[in-house]
Amino acid sequence: MRIGSGIDFHQLVEGRELWLGGVLIPYHKGGLGHSDADVLLHAICDALLGALALGDIGVHFPDTDDAYKNIDSKILLKRTVDLIKEKGYGIINIDSSLCLEAPKIKPHVPAMQQTIAEIAGITINDISIKATTTEKMGFVGRGEGMVAYATVLLKSLG
Ligand code: MG
């Protein structure tokens, strides 16, 4: 078995859509980034890559490459999952945390779990998505940005 962890940050700005866990969340701000800035899916991709010491999301999907401009991060997650499978591993479970001051995340968690489950080929019971604020402290507390953390466990299928 192999364990991996990932972390990602994005600014929250006016005039962008807010994509989290592959789901479009109604809000007046969204993530600033080269892709759709889905901070949660990016942290999960990094955790998957990290588990097999395959570098990070920036190595596989460089933000200098126009091919990834405004790309749907579900595509990045699918490609990462395919790479993990090619290496002979399957996902046991994913645990994650989202840190942002607003909007409320809990109502959207089932849709995120379903979206990730379909891409990762595991059940929603194997995908944990937790959410917290930072009690108004720091850049997250001021609503300037968001952070996601993810941990994954992989098993060798060989
Ligand atoms: Mg990112």
Side-chain angles (χ1 to χ4, degrees):
M1 289 198 284
R2 308 272 298 202
I3 195 167
S5 69
I7 184 170
D8 195 35
F9 302 76
H10 281 276
Q11 288 183 47
L12 268 172
V13 297
E14 302 280 350
R16 290 273 299 182
E17 292 180 337
L18 181 59
W19 286 91
L20 291 172
V23 174
L24 181 60
I25 312 261
Y27 193 52
H28 64 96
K29 290 182 183 176
L32 181 64
H34 185 69
S35 67
D36 65 5
D38 190 324
V39 71
L40 179 58
L41 293 193
H42 294 181
I44 291 171
C45 286
D46 259 0
L48 290 166
L49 294 168
L52 295 183
L54 294 172
D56 60 37
I57 195 169
V59 170
H60 292 268
F61 314 110
D63 65 7
T64 50
D65 189 335
D66 275 351
Y68 303 116
K69 187 155 177 56
N70 292 320
I71 196 169
D72 181 342
S73 292
K74 292 191 282 293
I75 295 168
L76 305 184
L77 179 60
K78 175 75 168 69
R79 289 189 194 167
T80 304
V81 168
D82 287 347
L83 182 60
I84 298 303
K85 282 186 199 159
E86 275 168 35
K87 297 286 180 184
Y89 283 82
I91 302 168
I92 294 179
N93 73 304
I94 298 171
D95 184 23
S96 64
S97 296
L98 264 171
C99 301
L100 70 172
E101 200 61 34
K104 288 285 173 229
I105 295 306
K106 199 175 268 182
H108 305 287
V109 165
M112 294 180 192
Q113 285 175 298
Q114 189 60 45
T115 300
I116 296 165
E118 282 169 17
I119 298 168
I122 54 180
T123 75
I124 58 168
N125 298 319
D126 300 319
I127 300 166
S128 157
I129 301 168
K130 309 182 301 294
T132 185
T133 69
T134 59
E135 300 286 340
K136 306 252 191 278
M137 294 182 287
F139 69 89
V140 171
R142 291 189 296 272
E144 295 168 4
M146 51 191 170
V147 187
Y149 303 85
T151 304
V152 306
L153 190 64
L154 305 183
K155 62 178 175 231
S156 171
L157 300 173

